[in-house]
Amino acid sequence: MKPRERTILRCIEDIGSTGRFQIFLSLFSIISSLFCGYITFHFQSLTVAPSVVCLRPDCEALLTSGEPEPEYKVMCNTQRHIDWDFTEGHSNILTEYNLYCDRMWLISMGTTLYFVGFFVAVGPFSAITDKLGRKLSSELFIVLYILLLILLGFSGHLYQIFICRILLGAVHGGLSVSSSVAFYEFTTADTATLNMMISSAAFSLGGGLAGLVAMWASHWVLTVIPPLIGFFTIGVLFHFIVPETPHWLFARGYEARAIASLNKVAKFNGAPALHNIELVSATGEVTTSKKSQGFGILWCVPFLRESMACLAFGWFTVAICYYGLEFNAASLGNEYVIMILMGCFDTPFKLSMYVFAGRLGRKYACQVYLGGALLCLILSGVPLVDNLTVYGNFTVKTVLVSCGRALGGSVFALLYLYTTEVLPTLVRSLGLSCCSTAARIGSLLAPFVILVNEVSPYIIYVFIVASLLVSMKLLRRIPETLGKPLPNSLEDCEKLFGIKKGKQKCEDNIELIT
């Protein structure tokens, strides 16, 4: 009997796209996002400064002896000097490594180095994901994450902590891409959208959890224990339960292994096994041209190149919005409380994004939320809102900035999904990593918001507002992907999105998948 032709998406729908397997994979994604967010903001949570007055030694005696002249008092409170002293408060990395006064720049440096690692390694690590597969690469990144967390706990010097943070950022870059793509390739678009929003909200809650743990931990080394336990647990479960994704196996030409992967998921979900089937691409083709799947198409094909450029700027914008406003928390009040508050604000906005993305489409949902973030930040710059109190010491400006950050963070989550849906399978991780690299440029700049605030607190808001406007314009050039299956090849992209062929003039230079 002739085998039935089935796309991978149709097979996933037959064996269950929201079964026990997908629930487990969703929990894996949520927990890993939670602790990735925890580690991202870990250093910041350990360097929250108590009330500190930096004084030159000769000024301290002047300020404590009677009533000095006003001009001398101003001079002593504002001028900096290498011999400044400080008053100690809550014991953490800040006090242990003397990161006060003239050494405060090391706080921004420690946070930036994490994103340096992410920036440098996300491209090569994501290429590994396309080469080795989603499963093996995810397991590799989890093991590396655990080893680096152990090394961080045993770090006795500040430079060792910085090195660990660079490497943790690098592994985070690879894991975020491999786990995101793996989940999407095992389910349908609607389920993947919901999971992406929840995982992104978990990432934000991880930042709030880092602040909460750091506030109560008796020693900073103890704050490494929660993510260590979390990653070890999900790593063991992931190894025994999750097979390689059928999309990757089929794109590499391993059709029998792709069917075996689908049947393993079917068994886990309690669904009937798939028999006598022949897998075809998203557009119904049994085979696809290998030249249409080479790494080179990402740069040679005008549609993919332009889409990558527009998406990359969108990633950069939401990164500088999300992290820049997070690191600006100290200017809004109690930094511990603001970190927790911002983490809580993210959750409802990201869950509502699921509804908008499913009804309006990816493109318009991004534009609506970017417009909302733009409006919140513009209103937060109105001088009147600084004096309007919501509750206790919280002003309207705090609420508006938190909402703007949450809206930007929601777009961050959707861009993961949008980028995944535009790109063919064998360059999906590579393209996602390139966009993520653009986002890390914004992340690298974000920690220096503290230094920019010394010039003017409005500079960061003006820059973010301008970036949001440009990003909204560029995203209009990307085709809508709502309701369309994942493309396996360039031919699929051409048929699904109605684009013109653009590979001929660089076809001979395309690197083949071997």
Side-chain angles (χ1 to χ4, degrees):
M1 186 172 63
K2 184 180 179 179
R4 296 168 297 164
E5 292 185 353
R6 289 285 188 274
T7 64
I8 294 176
L9 178 61
R10 177 66 182 276
C11 291
I12 289 174
E13 290 173 342
D14 291 341
I15 64 178
S17 61
T18 56
R20 290 191 295 267
F21 176 82
Q22 282 79 12
I23 292 174
F24 164 77
L25 207 56
S26 179
L27 290 175
F28 165 80
S29 181
I30 291 168
I31 294 173
S32 63
S33 295
L34 177 74
F35 287 114
C36 281
Y38 182 101
I39 295 299
T40 300
F41 298 106
H42 182 244
F43 190 80
Q44 183 192 7
S45 70
L46 295 176
T47 53
V48 174
S51 298
V52 175
V53 178
C54 296
L55 301 173
R56 299 198 325 251
D58 57 324
C59 284
E60 185 169 5
L62 178 62
L63 292 176
T64 56
S65 59
E67 290 290 331
E69 294 296 324
E71 60 268 25
Y72 292 114
K73 180 179 288 189
V74 172
M75 178 192 70
C76 286
N77 277 322
T78 58
Q79 288 189 358
R80 296 193 170 191
H81 191 272
I82 195 171
D83 294 325
W84 276 1
D85 198 1
F86 60 88
T87 57
E88 292 192 20
H90 182 66
S91 179
N92 56 20
I93 286 181
L94 194 78
T95 57
E96 185 169 337
Y97 295 104
N98 189 17
L99 303 185
Y100 289 94
C101 304
D102 57 302
R103 288 168 57 85
M104 287 187 68
W105 64 275
L106 289 170
I107 298 175
S108 296
M109 178 62 69
T111 305
T112 296
L113 288 175
Y114 185 87
F115 297 119
V116 168
F118 200 119
F119 175 81
V120 171
V122 67
F125 277 11
S126 297
I128 289 174
T129 300
D130 281 329
K131 186 70 175 178
L132 299 182
R134 322 313 190 197
K135 176 182 171 66
L136 182 59
S137 56
S138 293
E139 292 174 343
L140 174 64
F141 297 142
I142 291 172
V143 170
L144 290 175
Y145 221 127
I146 291 171
L147 293 175
L148 289 170
L149 286 173
I150 294 173
L151 288 175
L152 180 62
F154 284 99
S155 298
H157 300 281
L158 190 62
Y159 74 87
Q160 292 175 339
I161 294 175
F162 282 176
I163 291 174
C164 285
R165 283 192 60 78
I166 293 173
L167 297 176
L168 281 168
V171 177
H172 178 186
L175 181 61
S176 65
V177 172
S178 64
S179 61
S180 299
V181 174
F183 183 86
Y184 202 143
E185 293 182 352
F186 270 117
T187 187
T188 57
D190 192 55
T191 305
T193 305
L194 178 59
N195 177 75
M196 193 66 72
M197 296 303 123
I198 296 176
S199 297
S200 183
F203 181 88
S204 300
L205 290 174
L209 179 63
L212 186 64
V213 172
M215 185 165 55
W216 295 106
S218 59
H219 194 279
W220 72 268
V221 173
L222 299 177
T223 62
V224 178
I225 296 177
L228 190 61
I229 295 174
F231 276 111
F232 180 80
T233 303
I234 63 176
V236 172
L237 295 175
F238 185 88
H239 175 73
F240 288 103
I241 295 177
V242 181
E244 184 53 76
T245 69
H247 278 281
W248 184 84
L249 291 170
F250 177 66
R252 295 282 291 185
Y254 307 133
E255 183 177 353
R257 290 175 59 187
I259 296 173
S261 173
L262 289 166
N263 282 330
K264 183 174 181 178
V265 175
K267 182 178 180 181
F268 200 91
N269 284 344
L274 301 171
H275 296 292
N276 196 33
I277 65 168
E278 183 177 17
L279 294 179
V280 295
S281 71
T283 54
E285 298 177 357
V286 177
T287 59
T288 56
S289 168
K290 282 187 176 292
K291 284 192 175 183
S292 72
Q293 303 181 66
F295 291 148
I297 66 170
L298 203 57
W299 325 116
C300 294
V301 179
F303 161 71
L304 294 179
R305 185 172 62 245
E306 292 172 10
S307 296
M308 285 290 298
C310 296
L311 286 167
F313 190 83
W315 281 68
F316 167 81
T317 299
V318 295
I320 194 69
C321 176
Y322 185 83
Y323 291 110
L325 297 178
E326 173 75 25
F327 297 134
N328 196 44
S331 67
L332 301 175
N334 185 302
E335 195 169 356
Y336 281 124
V337 177
I338 298 299
M339 283 180 66
I340 297 170
L341 177 69
M342 285 185 169
C344 295
F345 258 70
D346 275 14
T347 304
F349 281 103
K350 288 176 179 175
L351 293 180
S352 66
M353 172 64 93
Y354 167 69
V355 178
F356 279 99
R359 293 184 178 179
L360 298 178
R362 303 350 181 176
K363 180 195 299 186
Y364 297 109
C366 284
Q367 290 181 319
V368 168
Y369 271 61
L370 288 174
L374 179 70
L375 181 61
C376 286
L377 295 181
I378 290 175
L379 292 176
S380 70
V382 177
L384 179 63
V385 300
D386 284 331
N387 301 320
L388 294 178
T389 302
V390 178
Y391 177 79
N393 294 324
F394 293 115
T395 64
V396 173
K397 180 176 181 176
T398 302
V399 175
L400 286 171
V401 172
S402 298
C403 288
R405 174 187 174 276
L407 288 165
S410 300
V411 177
F412 212 160
L414 186 57
L415 283 177
Y416 263 103
L417 196 70
Y418 201 3
T419 307
T420 299
E421 292 176 338
V422 169
L423 301 175
T425 297
L426 287 184
V427 292
R428 186 167 294 133
S429 292
L430 180 62
L432 195 62
S433 72
C434 292
C435 289
S436 190
T437 300
R440 296 317 139 188
I441 297 176
S443 305
L444 287 169
L445 298 175
F448 291 96
V449 168
I450 300 171
L451 304 180
V452 172
N453 279 342
E454 295 184 4
V455 179
S456 172
Y458 293 103
I459 292 179
I460 185 63
Y461 295 107
V462 171
F463 182 78
I464 291 174
V465 166
S467 298
L468 287 170
L469 285 170
V470 176
S471 185
M472 290 175 66
K473 178 69 174 178
L474 291 177
L475 286 176
R476 295 177 62 184
R477 302 172 64 88
I478 312 297
E480 182 54 64
T481 59
L482 179 63
K484 294 180 172 61
L486 287 178
N488 285 318
S489 65
L490 180 59
E491 288 86 356
D492 290 345
C493 290
E494 292 168 348
K495 293 180 180 180
L496 290 172
F497 306 130
I499 61 173
K500 296 180 180 180
K501 293 181 180 293
K503 63 178 180 178
Q504 286 81 1
K505 59 184 175 182
C506 63
E507 193 174 45
D508 294 336
N509 297 322
I510 290 176
E511 177 185 351
L512 300 183
I513 303 295
T514 58

